[in-house]
Amino acid sequence: MKSITLSLFLFVFLFGVFAQKTDSKYEKFFKNPVFTPDLADPTVIKATDGWFYAYGTENTWTDGIHHIVPVVKSKDMLHWEYVADAFKTRPTWKQNGGIWAPDVNVVNGKYYMYYSFSTWGDSNPGIGLAIADKPEGPFVDHGKIFDSKSIGVENSIDPCFVQVNKKNELRSYVFWGSFHGIYGIELTDDLTKTQGEKFQIAGSAFEATYIKERNGKFYFFGSLGSCCEGARSQYRVGVAVADDIKGPYKDRDGNAVLNDWAQGTLLIAGNAADGWVGPGHNSEIIKDAAGNDYLFYHAIEVANPNLPGGATRRPLMLDRIHWVKGWPTIQGTKPGTDFQKKPRIKQ
């Protein structure tokens, strides 16, 4: 009896040690998606409270609740929890439409959200601004910045706010556009109005602009194809680079993306065989404590492509960016579906 008890004790002890080691091993890894059911067109920031916050296009989730710009937060970029909706009610400067593709940035301790206000096939969508004192909101709407008719650009959605220090002078820009050219324009010092003339940086193949300044160069990330055709989506991301924020932006082969036929150098595309298609509308690049860069984006699960209301379901994905000879790359140029090393987060 004693030998059986001793053997059982040793088995439990050794199993516990093995399980602990196994858990410890897998604590170093993560697997996509990092948030479900949906966080389309994500924007991600690290707030002054030390948490990461992500914001997405309004949608009705699997809980049956319609979220007007859902806000989720995380300590490690991997485990996210829903916090609130950025808006209790939609802004009122436009009669019809949804709040899409928010871009949130921390400026002087406040949270500035540039957002799209549009419907499918809208003849006059626009971009507005809302500001909050806290990352979870509530965001107070400051109204329209411009719409398609006033700015002279069809399908004026998908804003991207960028600040650059040029000759010791801080300049602020908003970039935008969706399949009718990608444009930029400078903002006033209070960030609530445009000033000067708009300028074009890319042709009609792109939407969902993101611009990253790195080592004195400017990297343009743009999404191509249709975002929202479920499992048939051909959404993907192309990249181009310029020496000046206003361009000219060129792909790795030297082709200017101002040409309507140009698609940039491929960063990521779907792979139905791996179960995910339509990766795109990426967020800001987030750097971890080890200096590694990570990119959030949405993608579509082939086996579960739609939300209950019929809208395309686009969970939040995360992949590491590797810089190769000055170009951003993602392993396999496809969504990471295997285990990946976790970001290192400084708490």
Side-chain angles (χ1 to χ4, degrees):
M1 186 70 179
K2 286 182 180 179
S3 62
I4 294 174
T5 304
L6 181 61
S7 298
L8 183 62
F9 172 79
L10 286 171
F11 172 79
V12 171
F13 174 76
L14 291 172
F15 180 81
V17 170
F18 174 77
Q20 190 175 30
K21 285 185 177 180
T22 303
D23 289 345
S24 176
K25 174 185 175 183
Y26 282 97
E27 281 175 3
K28 298 176 183 176
F29 296 89
F30 77 94
K31 195 172 184 181
N32 276 317
V34 294
F35 182 79
T36 60
D38 182 81
L39 202 77
D41 312 325
T43 179
V44 180
I45 60 167
K46 187 168 188 182
T48 55
D49 63 4
W51 287 77
F52 294 94
Y53 288 79
Y55 310 74
T57 283
E58 74 166 90
N59 223 334
T60 302
W61 286 2
T62 50
D63 57 9
I65 298 172
H66 192 80
H67 297 279
I68 306 177
V69 183
V71 185
V72 299
K73 72 175 184 177
S74 171
K75 273 289 187 183
D76 61 4
M77 301 201 301
L78 302 174
H79 301 91
W80 297 86
E81 60 186 80
Y82 170 75
V83 180
D85 288 356
F87 296 101
K88 293 183 179 179
T89 59
R90 283 193 195 93
T92 57
W93 55 265
K94 185 172 164 59
Q95 192 169 16
N96 296 310
I99 307 302
W100 301 349
D103 182 50
V104 178
N105 295 268
V106 187
V107 183
N108 297 327
K110 291 185 178 290
Y111 299 86
Y112 282 68
M113 177 195 294
Y114 294 90
Y115 62 86
S116 313
F117 203 163
S118 181
T119 62
W120 287 104
D122 199 326
S123 62
N124 193 32
I127 289 171
L129 169 65
I131 303 173
D133 293 325
K134 298 184 294 183
E136 68 272 24
F139 281 79
V140 177
D141 189 47
H142 285 247
K144 178 175 68 176
I145 302 295
F146 56 78
D147 56 25
S148 286
K149 290 181 179 177
S150 66
I151 203 73
V153 176
E154 290 186 65
N155 214 17
S156 284
I157 61 172
D158 292 357
C160 172
F161 173 79
V162 185
Q163 286 188 310
V164 296
N165 197 322
K166 196 169 185 178
K167 297 180 180 178
N168 294 321
E169 182 181 0
L170 187 65
R171 294 188 178 183
S172 303
Y173 299 88
V174 64
F175 291 83
W176 78 98
S178 175
F179 305 130
H180 290 83
I182 301 298
Y183 291 83
I185 195 166
E186 193 168 351
L187 295 169
T188 54
D189 290 343
D190 64 3
L191 310 180
T192 64
K193 299 179 183 66
T194 64
Q195 62 180 355
E197 297 296 321
K198 67 179 183 287
F199 52 91
Q200 188 174 357
I201 64 166
S204 60
F206 299 97
E207 66 170 9
T209 303
Y210 168 61
I211 292 177
K212 165 73 172 176
E213 185 177 4
R214 182 178 187 270
N215 294 340
K217 292 185 179 294
F218 295 88
Y219 291 82
F220 162 77
F221 296 69
S223 294
L224 308 106
S226 174
C227 68
C228 305
E229 291 185 348
R232 300 186 304 276
S233 175
Q234 296 298 309
Y235 218 41
R236 58 201 185 277
V237 178
V239 181
V241 67
D243 293 324
D244 187 273
I245 194 167
K246 294 184 178 181
Y249 288 87
K250 296 180 180 180
D251 67 16
R252 194 156 44 193
D253 296 323
N255 299 307
V257 293
L258 263 174
N259 296 310
D260 284 340
W261 52 262
Q263 298 192 4
T265 297
L266 182 66
L267 176 70
I268 190 170
N271 186 352
D274 288 340
W276 292 90
V277 297
H281 206 122
N282 58 274
S283 73
E284 299 82 353
I285 289 174
I286 305 294
K287 190 179 294 293
D288 75 358
N292 301 311
D293 285 332
Y294 287 86
L295 189 73
F296 290 93
Y297 59 93
H298 71 235
I300 302 161
E301 189 177 14
V302 173
N304 187 13
N306 297 113
L307 290 163
T312 296
R313 176 177 173 270
R314 293 172 283 172
L316 185 65
M317 309 283 277
L318 177 65
D319 276 282
R320 182 177 166 185
I321 286 184
H322 298 269
W323 294 90
V324 180
K325 296 181 179 178
W327 282 91
T329 64
I330 286 176
Q331 186 173 0
T333 62
K334 62 181 182 179
T337 55
D338 206 347
F339 284 99
Q340 305 179 62
K341 284 187 178 180
K342 286 183 178 181
R344 287 179 57 189
I345 303 303
K346 202 178 283 185
Q347 301 295 348

